[in-house]
Amino acid sequence: MRHVFAAFLIAALTLPASAAPTSAAQVPQSSAQVQLTFAPVVKRVAPAVVNVYARSVVQTPMNPLFADPFFQRFFGASPEFRQRVQQSLGSGVIVRADGVILTNNHVIENGQDIVVALSDRREFKAKVLLADSHTDLAVLKIDTKGEHLPTVDFGDSDRLQVGDLVLAIGDPFGVGQTVTMGIVSALARTQISASDYQFFIQTDAAINPGNSGGALVTTDGKLAGINTAIYSRTGESIGIGFAIPANLARRVVEGALGGGVKLPWFGADGQPVTAEIAQTMGLPRPEGVLLKSVYPGGPAASAGLKTGDVVENIDGVDVEDMQALNYRIATHKAGDVVKAHVAGTGQPRDVTIKLGLPPENPPRDETLVSGRNPMAGAKIENLSPAAALDMQMALTAKGVVIVSTSPGTFAARYGFQQGDIVRSLNGTEVHSVGELVHALNASGGHWSLVVERGGQKLTLNVDG
């Protein structure tokens, strides 16, 4: 059967309470200890886990035939649409007593009417302070009229260890608040595709649709993560769930309350060090990130890093791929200083790196393509280091990139995808958003588009 990653409305997983050294961990020594309960922790934390309902109105064609570009072009028919109300259900976590709530972006995405239901069944309309698709996190605010709500404190997710007990609290399938228990199955999972900053806590605590945005808490009641996705053949829990670590979630909340999320950058691209690479470079073992390109004037370059260097850890925490490295940087602020242990070229050394914000040069000039052309409905922007970082593309990428496509539009039906780079139109290279928009409108009814996707060039020819 096909394996599917589902960014469901998923339940909250938990990080372990203390993350003391392994030597401090204990196992039950008596039947009395085995009968110890998590009820006091649940009683304290559960009131701070809420339900989040997002209602959106979507348009669907009354007759799918009229939505086909071929039919429209030759018969001059325009599709007729009907409106349909769509509602999503997820969970959220109160992280500030005045009504600040953390959830997943995919829970509230495109929602025009968002309602938060507290554990005591009171309901509040919520305002979106921040919806960040790159981290798949969103921050909401409800008006408590001065009342102080129960909260869950952030834990330090870096102190989590495999084998720690965790509790997942959420509302699976809308049956009501539910608590499940499991362990931390793995750390630093980076190939989940649920957000651009791919770095997840894996747990076997049962997570099902309706739990997304809920709290992953440690046994001392601290927030370890926000549940975001599951790996499943059926869409239901099989014991493989993923949560966004609390340290990144904390940064997003700080950004929402302080003018927006501005995550720093490292200023380099790299790849995992394989056994073959390690042998070729004379490294004792395959570990770290081999730098393939270093952006001139960026933080890495300013610290003296070069192509061919291997970054083995950041602030003493091992990094095995670029996603893990970017996550370590994203938990900091611009202006912070991190220490990296570097090998590869020359003697192993410790390097101090001052982080900054990626440059937006050229400006993004984000534009929604309109009119009667194959790209109508595509949101496009100019590539810069900042835009490339947001989209997890090579920092040196240049040109015009597709950010998203609206369902049911020409761009979506012709198969354009997020991350596509438009290289040329009708034989003329495209360098900026302005050039592309002008060329689309002046094409004379013929469009020959060359698009780069995943290193391959694809061609689309349309007449109409």
Side-chain angles (χ1 to χ4, degrees):
M1 296 182 67
R2 187 166 65 95
H3 291 231
V4 179
F5 277 113
F8 283 124
L9 315 177
I10 293 178
L13 308 178
T14 359
L15 290 183
S18 62
T22 308
S23 58
Q26 297 182 359
V27 297
Q29 301 295 318
S30 66
S31 60
Q33 289 182 357
V34 171
Q35 294 172 12
L36 291 175
T37 175
F38 293 113
V41 177
V42 174
K43 185 176 181 179
R44 185 171 76 252
V45 172
V49 179
V50 302
N51 289 347
V52 179
Y53 304 93
R55 186 178 66 89
S56 59
V57 178
V58 296
Q59 289 190 328
T60 56
M62 296 184 68
N63 188 334
L65 181 64
F66 289 97
D68 186 88
F70 178 88
F71 192 93
Q72 292 181 37
R73 189 162 64 248
F74 286 96
F75 294 94
S78 297
E80 295 183 9
F81 293 90
R82 62 167 173 262
Q83 290 188 336
R84 180 170 59 86
V85 177
Q86 184 172 282
Q87 183 163 295
S88 64
L89 165 68
S91 301
V93 185
I94 304 173
V95 294
R96 233 174 63 166
D98 60 351
V100 175
I101 295 164
L102 184 62
T103 186
N104 281 131
N105 177 68
H106 70 259
V107 171
I108 58 95
E109 194 169 25
N110 300 321
Q112 286 106 26
D113 186 15
I114 300 170
V115 175
V116 169
L118 304 185
S119 60
D120 61 10
R121 301 184 181 180
R122 286 183 295 165
E123 295 187 352
F124 297 81
K125 284 195 173 183
K127 174 184 177 182
V128 179
L129 298 183
L130 176 78
D132 185 34
S133 61
H134 303 300
T135 59
D136 194 23
L137 292 170
V139 181
L140 312 178
K141 179 73 168 65
I142 60 175
D143 185 2
T144 65
K145 308 292 185 185
E147 178 185 352
H148 283 225
L149 301 178
T151 63
V152 179
D153 294 332
F154 283 101
D156 182 358
S157 52
D158 286 346
R159 300 179 66 191
L160 188 62
Q161 299 179 63
V162 174
D164 282 336
L165 288 171
V166 291
L167 304 176
I169 307 176
D171 185 7
F173 300 110
V175 300
Q177 191 174 82
T178 302
V179 181
T180 58
M181 184 189 76
I183 65 168
V184 174
S185 306
L187 297 169
R189 290 298 194 207
T190 59
Q191 303 300 320
I192 311 305
S193 301
S195 78
D196 291 346
Y197 290 89
Q198 298 181 23
F199 192 91
F200 293 86
I201 301 160
Q202 181 180 329
T203 181
D204 68 347
I207 295 172
N208 287 290
N211 283 117
S212 276
L216 175 64
V217 296
T218 59
T219 52
D220 64 349
K222 296 293 176 62
L223 184 66
I226 297 296
N227 292 328
T228 300
I230 62 174
Y231 185 50
S232 174
R233 296 182 176 90
T234 64
E236 299 176 4
S237 175
I238 59 171
I240 305 176
F242 303 96
I244 297 171
N247 286 1
L248 179 59
R250 182 192 290 111
R251 283 284 293 110
V252 171
V253 172
E254 291 171 351
L257 300 177
V261 178
K262 296 179 180 179
L263 301 178
W265 74 319
F266 185 70
D269 278 324
Q271 68 181 71
V273 175
T274 62
E276 184 178 358
I277 291 174
Q279 185 177 14
T280 301
M281 298 183 67
L283 299 173
R285 61 186 64 85
E287 62 182 0
V289 178
L290 172 64
L291 300 185
K292 299 187 298 182
S293 64
V294 178
Y295 194 86
S302 299
L305 297 185
K306 301 179 178 62
T307 301
D309 280 335
V310 175
V311 179
E312 295 183 340
N313 67 59
I314 298 290
D315 288 336
V317 180
D318 293 343
V319 291
E320 298 298 335
D321 52 33
M322 202 62 210
Q323 289 86 359
L325 193 155
N326 281 337
Y327 166 77
R328 290 294 162 198
I329 300 303
T331 58
H332 289 272
K333 300 176 182 177
D336 286 354
V337 173
V338 300
K339 291 183 179 180
H341 185 71
V342 181
T345 59
Q347 293 295 318
R349 63 197 188 278
D350 290 322
V351 176
T352 299
I353 304 171
K354 185 175 182 179
L355 303 178
L357 296 176
E360 290 207 23
N361 185 24
R364 299 190 189 221
D365 192 17
E366 188 174 88
T367 300
L368 180 64
V369 179
S370 59
R372 194 171 182 80
N373 64 75
M375 292 192 65
K379 187 180 293 184
I380 59 176
E381 68 182 17
N382 294 317
L383 274 170
S384 65
L389 183 66
D390 282 349
M391 301 192 68
Q392 296 293 287
M393 300 174 69
L395 297 180
T396 54
K398 299 183 184 300
V400 179
V401 66
I402 295 177
V403 179
S404 63
T405 59
S406 301
T409 61
F410 283 122
R413 294 197 289 270
Y414 278 117
F416 290 100
Q417 297 179 12
Q418 182 187 61
D420 286 348
I421 302 175
V422 182
R423 290 302 184 196
S424 68
L425 173 57
N426 293 341
T428 302
E429 290 188 1
V430 173
H431 302 99
S432 69
V433 167
E435 288 182 6
L436 178 57
V437 171
H438 175 75
L440 287 169
N441 294 330
S443 67
H446 171 74
W447 299 271
S448 180
L449 286 150
V450 177
V451 173
E452 182 177 331
R453 178 184 298 168
Q456 294 185 325
K457 289 189 176 179
L458 309 174
T459 301
L460 173 68
N461 291 299
V462 178
D463 289 292

